[in-house]
Amino acid sequence: MKNRLKVLRAERDWTQAQLADELQVSRQTVNAIEKGKFDPSLPLAFKAARLFGLSIEAIFQDETEP
Amino acid sequence: MSDSKTRSDKWASNTARNTTRLRYWTFAWVATSALAAFGPKFIWDFATLPTILGVLVNLGVGFGMIIANKQYLQGLDEMQRKIFLDACAVTLGVGLVCGLSYELLEDIKLISYEPEIPHLIILMCLVFLTTTIAGHRRYR
């Protein structure tokens, strides 16, 4: 699954640690999500969407979609 | 923002507290295991009451450690929990398969000594450690 987490974080000039604090996860988890190595659960995706004020689809995209 | 900062501070402090709690329970369990194993021989000369008490205390502390481990797991974030549970699954499988095969070796006379549980525990610890490290590397 692709995502725009890194771009959105950079736009706000946040570090991975700051984003991790906001999402209440470890910095390693934020790093793995940004790299597409770990897909977040729906509640965590909703939390990220609320934090950035966007819809889930605006942050996360299914790579199998046409 | 301050609310979410407070929540994240709470999450971080909860995780740290769960880790510390699990560490203390594990040390206590190891200490009471040593007391239950060596106390009868070296401290109270196989007197029945302290021996029974030693085993009961060891069991009680062991259950405390299990609860602390469960709380630790519940406090992890979802990726850490996945790594932990993946490692648990592999460890359980290896423990079951290798444990039964190890026991079978003696039954079919391929080894001459009695299989020992500590050998299996050492294997399971090594497997858990290896799979946990591999899990963290996979998501790095």
Side-chain angles (χ1 to χ4, degrees):
Chain A
M1 191 162 65
K2 289 190 298 183
N3 68 79
R4 296 177 55 229
L5 222 50
K6 190 174 183 178
V7 174
L8 294 167
R9 178 173 64 78
E11 283 172 2
R12 285 153 183 81
D13 209 17
W14 288 348
T15 63
Q16 284 187 341
Q18 285 172 313
L19 179 57
D21 276 349
E22 292 297 330
L23 296 176
Q24 296 182 293
V25 296
S26 63
R27 192 197 59 77
Q28 287 78 8
T29 298
V30 168
N31 184 53
I33 294 171
E34 282 186 359
K35 288 184 171 178
K37 291 183 174 180
F38 179 74
D39 292 334
S41 66
L42 205 49
L44 184 56
F46 270 117
K47 200 184 270 186
R50 266 197 307 274
L51 180 65
F52 290 113
L54 298 166
S55 65
I56 288 182
E57 295 89 339
I59 303 176
F60 301 98
Q61 293 89 36
D62 186 1
E63 280 176 304
T64 58
E65 275 179 7
Chain B
M1 187 78 173
S2 70
D3 270 2
S4 93
K5 187 70 187 160
T6 309
R7 276 200 309 274
S8 68
D9 286 349
K10 196 177 167 195
W11 179 79
S13 67
N14 273 347
T15 305
R17 195 171 59 238
N18 287 341
T19 307
T20 306
R21 188 186 294 143
L22 178 58
R23 186 183 304 131
Y24 286 147
W25 275 106
T26 305
F27 279 133
W29 179 70
V30 170
T32 56
S33 295
L35 190 69
F38 301 116
K41 187 175 178 184
F42 296 110
I43 302 175
W44 54 76
D45 195 24
F46 294 99
T48 308
L49 185 62
T51 301
I52 291 171
L53 281 177
V55 171
L56 288 177
V57 167
N58 181 231
L59 270 175
V61 174
F63 282 114
M65 184 181 70
I66 292 169
I67 292 166
N69 195 34
K70 188 168 177 288
Q71 286 169 342
Y72 170 78
L73 177 63
Q74 284 170 336
L76 294 176
D77 74 32
E78 56 191 62
M79 189 186 79
Q80 294 170 328
R81 201 177 303 141
K82 177 173 168 39
I83 292 170
F84 189 97
L85 290 175
D86 283 352
C88 283
V90 175
T91 304
L92 179 65
V94 169
L96 184 71
V97 171
C98 293
L100 288 174
S101 295
Y102 187 37
E103 208 275 333
L104 189 67
L105 288 180
E106 200 242 346
D107 292 346
I108 58 176
K109 312 291 181 204
L110 279 178
I111 56 171
S112 55
Y113 57 91
E114 186 85 10
E116 298 280 350
I117 287 179
H119 295 163
L120 187 60
I121 292 172
I122 290 169
L123 173 70
M124 290 174 76
C125 287
L126 290 174
V127 169
F128 184 77
L129 191 65
T130 309
T131 47
T132 301
I133 292 170
H136 280 283
R137 287 177 69 93
R138 190 186 324 135
Y139 293 115
R140 199 163 56 185

